[in-house]
Amino acid sequence: MPGSTETAVLRSGRAAVLEQLRALERAVVVTHERPDGDALGSLLGMHELLLALGHDSVMFVAESDLPLPSEYRFLPLQGVITQPPADVASRTVIFVDCGNIERNPAAERLRPSEGWGTIINVDHHHDNSRFGSVNYVDPSASCTAEMVWELAHALEVPIDTELAVALYVGLITDTGCFMYENTSPRAHLMAAELIEAGVDVHAIYQQVYEDIPFAKLALLARGLANVQRYDEDRLTVAYLSAEDFAAAGAQESYAEGVIDHLRAVRGTAVAALARDRLDGGSAAPDGGRQRKVSLRAADTRLDVSAIARLQGGGGHRAAAGFSTSLSWEDLVTFLRNALAAQLRDLPAET
Ligand SMILES: [Mn+2]
């Protein structure tokens, strides 16, 4: 729970964002790289909210993030632009679900320089770097879509079916279909309202979770074949190499969900999945591979975002990630040490 100072900051940020959302005329809505369900749901939701207010709005997703994961292609995102708009300097740039400005691939071209407009930052990551000129960061929100939903209420924007579907996708993906720790009564109240607004629960579930390309199953099989466990099974790790992706015929986004299997294994306190970046990323100094590492805490006393920050990443206590050029062996050593340090610092059990 946020302390009173944090709550005061949150309220002032919310008021400032509401004021900006009412007053702005032209906006570009953006989110984080490799967008997931909450990123895309809140991107589309914010865009539709702006259109409902009568504003000019465009959505930007970098070329490098296309194609979008196939499970989200049913969302009406055909209109996204893949380069920042030429008139970006005269638009309010609205970041949703983006904990750090560097998590957008076009950060350099979205950052205000002299004479530029406003950056609005709406997010629920507790380690958000508050990079906006106005920041509304609410770590108690289950997803950024929940914050967009709440802003729509405050702005008296009616929730039509299209807006409801966008927000619902953010809600189910970030709460693991209402099963993660962040699932609050408010998340369920939001779901109830979105269903009343016309969301077809089962149809969306099928689109997002049950229309799996076979290559994704093949990639999961390879990931599960690569599982290793350390430290009395408290650390469960697996990797997906570029060769695994090639052999499965899989895109990078097909790795989504593999880590859930690692987290669910009895005994696991922390799960990690390291996957080679298929775009190569920036070349590693030793000529080695660039890897993207996803972390999950199965033990709720642990904070994997703190582990991710040690490597320049971030996220939530229960779900975080970072990029690295560490070798696999060094990466495992790092994770084992980081986990051991957190376990050591836990209060003694009574
Ligand atoms: Mn999110």
Side-chain angles (χ1 to χ4, degrees):
M1 281 281 113
S4 59
T5 312
E6 200 175 330
T7 306
V9 170
L10 193 121
R11 291 225 177 89
S12 71
R14 178 177 175 278
V17 165
L18 283 170
E19 195 180 312
Q20 294 283 346
L21 290 176
R22 281 191 198 98
L24 69 84
E25 286 171 8
R26 296 140 63 72
V28 52
V29 191
V30 306
T31 185
H32 63 74
E33 62 181 340
R34 295 159 214 276
D36 56 14
D38 189 31
L40 294 171
S42 44
L43 179 83
L44 185 57
M46 179 62 81
H47 172 69
E48 288 179 356
L49 181 155
L50 293 166
L51 296 182
L53 290 169
H55 302 326
D56 173 338
S57 169
V58 290
M59 295 177 281
F60 161 70
V61 174
E63 188 87 57
S64 55
D65 286 328
L66 301 181
L68 294 174
S70 63
E71 58 266 44
Y72 305 124
R73 275 187 227 154
F74 75 99
L75 290 172
L77 288 161
Q78 298 78 9
V80 296
I81 53 172
T82 58
Q83 293 292 331
D87 62 352
V88 61
S90 68
R91 287 179 182 265
T92 300
V93 183
I94 305 179
F95 283 79
V96 289
D97 200 44
C98 192
N100 184 316
I101 194 167
E102 306 303 335
R103 290 200 68 209
N104 186 286
E108 285 310 317
R109 287 178 289 159
L110 297 169
R111 200 191 303 273
S113 53
E114 204 162 344
W116 280 42
T118 309
I119 283 197
I120 295 179
N121 171 13
V122 176
D123 183 36
H124 69 131
H125 292 88
H126 75 108
D127 58 357
N128 184 290
S129 65
R130 268 86 171 167
F131 56 84
S133 27
V134 287
N135 301 287
Y136 177 29
V137 177
D138 182 1
S140 78
S142 64
C143 53
T144 300
E146 183 180 311
M147 300 177 71
V148 175
W149 171 68
E150 191 264 318
L151 289 170
H153 274 285
L155 292 162
E156 295 176 4
V157 169
I159 313 280
D160 63 14
T161 304
E162 196 163 299
L163 178 53
V165 167
L167 298 178
Y168 188 76
V169 168
L171 180 60
I172 60 170
T173 53
D174 259 27
T175 60
C177 294
F178 309 102
M179 288 185 285
Y180 296 158
E181 217 192 352
N182 61 356
T183 306
S184 59
R186 198 163 42 153
H188 280 284
L189 289 169
M190 172 176 167
E193 189 183 303
L194 299 183
I195 294 164
E196 277 179 348
V199 166
D200 183 335
V201 169
H202 189 58
I204 292 184
Y205 178 77
Q206 285 187 306
Q207 290 275 9
V208 175
Y209 294 103
E210 290 194 336
D211 191 28
I212 299 171
F214 183 75
K216 187 167 176 172
L217 195 67
L219 188 72
L220 171 62
R222 299 186 76 90
L224 297 182
N226 294 337
V227 172
Q228 301 173 8
R229 308 192 80 191
Y230 295 92
D231 304 319
E232 293 159 342
D233 299 340
R234 281 194 284 262
L235 178 66
T236 302
V237 295
Y239 60 86
L240 286 166
S241 65
E243 293 77 9
D244 289 318
F245 281 93
Q251 302 166 10
E252 201 164 341
S253 67
Y254 290 7
E256 189 75 30
V258 173
I259 196 167
D260 296 326
H261 296 271
L262 312 183
R263 177 185 46 201
V265 180
R266 182 179 301 156
T268 298
V270 166
L273 176 73
R275 61 179 201 265
D276 288 358
R277 289 187 60 165
L278 300 187
D279 60 10
S282 47
D286 61 355
R289 297 171 185 228
Q290 276 283 345
R291 292 191 173 88
K292 179 107 175 82
V293 182
S294 301
L295 300 173
R296 297 290 183 273
D299 182 331
T300 55
R301 298 170 303 168
L302 302 176
D303 177 5
V304 288
S305 74
I307 299 177
R309 279 196 295 281
L310 294 172
Q311 294 287 345
H316 304 287
R317 283 179 60 88
F322 62 91
S323 293
T324 183
S325 54
L326 286 176
S327 69
W328 172 249
E329 292 72 23
D330 289 347
L331 175 61
V332 169
T333 303
F334 162 75
L335 292 171
R336 294 179 68 180
N337 289 337
L339 173 57
Q342 281 206 10
L343 289 170
R344 207 163 41 230
D345 291 344
L346 289 177
E349 283 182 48
T350 51

